[in-house]
Amino acid sequence: MRKMQQKLELPNGSILKNRLVMAPMTNKMSFYNGVVTSDELCYYAFRTGDVGMMITAAAYVKSEGKGWDGQLGASDDKHLLGLSKLAATMKQSGTKAILQIFHAGRRTNSKILHGIQPVSASAVASLEADAEIPQQVSTNEIEHLIEAFARATKRAIQAGFDGVEIHGANGYLLQQFYSPHANVRDDEWGGNRENRYRFIKMLVERVCETAKAESEQPFIVGYRFSPEEGQHPGITLDDTLYLVEQLLQQPVDYLHVSLAEFQSKASSSVNHQEKMIGAYLQEIVAERVPLIGVGGVKTMRDVETALETFDCIAIGRALLIDPRWAEKILADQEAMIRRELILIDRPVNYISNGALDFLTNRMA
Ligand SMILES: Cc1cc2nc3c(=O)[nH]c(=O)nc-3n(C[C@H](O)[C@H](O)[C@H](O)COP(=O)(O)O)c2cc1C
């Protein structure tokens, strides 16, 4: 049996039926207020059933943390009914359904927030074009943010999801707290690495406690992170190895590294040039939890190479372009895979304008 077909038991006893994961992908298909649409349900229904685990698009946990129009919401009980439909849709043929929980922090703007200033660890704008200066959150507000993640976790449980993935990657709020670029606080939430990690520590603790207290079945808690930041100062691979070691002190069920290419090497650390980032991460993880890799997987050969390093591999764009990609790979029907995005097929495959924008920007 090929490794991709092998089951995987997570630390909490949940079993993934295989090693393929659908990566979290924003589709911008939700209503203006974050409620799931029927088209969005179809988009997931087309792609589920074959992968062992499917992760939703990032869902905001607080309205001030919304990152873009059309984003999925998990910030209010009004989202519950739609989230229940979404979980039921995703849980086909044993696929585990995971809700990705998110706060944009400084990576949003006052237009999307209808006049409200974005918040972050410190009042430092990101380096993106047109980035706004966020408002630094107070200690009191930090507690509210952590609570918002806990409440979104409770909603995920009530809706019937198998787990949540805490979005600590791609420059959003959790990463902003850990980043020496975004976090220049001089209180207990900033400064040295230990202090910059404190927000993540408290948040993961609360989410894991909520999962234990509110769910009758084992509920999966995963954590996604980006291993490096391009700017100086910025998160280095050394910082990330520390982060991973800290996260492993908590009852997380998997870690998920966000990479553009699964074989990427570090650009931030001269001491870590010999192997790829995934291999250094696995040295630290040391089989304590599964590590999911991602980035540029399109063929069976890519899957097999990736699974030499990672325990599971997430697939994003290939599954957008061909919703039956996983079925074809698992059935050894690789020649049948559609590899080009054919615009005329967009409606049948439920690729929205929003997903297309995201897709074309990222595929450039
Ligand atoms: C259309 C699109 C939307 C994405 N949205 C998210 C998201 O909501 N959350 C997230 O963590 N990553 C997001 N990503 C990143 C993917 O999860 C993945 O890491 C990236 O696409 C690389 O994998 P791939 O080469 O298989 O596409 C998105 C990527 C794409 C292409």
Side-chain angles (χ1 to χ4, degrees), residues 23-26 58 100 167 170 224 294-296 315-317 355 358 362:
M25 275 185 292
T26 287
Q100 190 183 55
H167 195 342
N170 304 352
R224 192 172 216 218
V294 73
I315 295 99
R317 290 165 296 177
F358 233 103
R362 279 166 190 260

Side-chain angles (χ1 to χ4, degrees), residues 180-206:
H181 180 268
N183 184 345
V184 295
R185 299 173 76 100
D186 56 10
D187 61 5
E188 59 178 327
W189 304 96
N192 60 26
R193 202 144 71 172
E194 192 186 341
N195 280 357
R196 284 186 278 115
Y197 175 66
R198 194 176 311 279
F199 177 65
I200 299 174
K201 176 176 189 277
M202 308 295 271
L203 193 150
V204 174
E205 236 166 61
R206 277 292 289 128

Side-chain angles (χ1 to χ4, degrees), residues 3 33 56 72 75 90 126 136 186 194 226 264 281 301:
K3 186 171 175 190
N33 59 359
T56 64
L72 179 63
S75 60
M90 289 165 68
S126 84
Q136 172 170 319
D186 56 10
E194 192 186 341
S226 294
S264 301
L281 295 172
R301 192 156 172 211

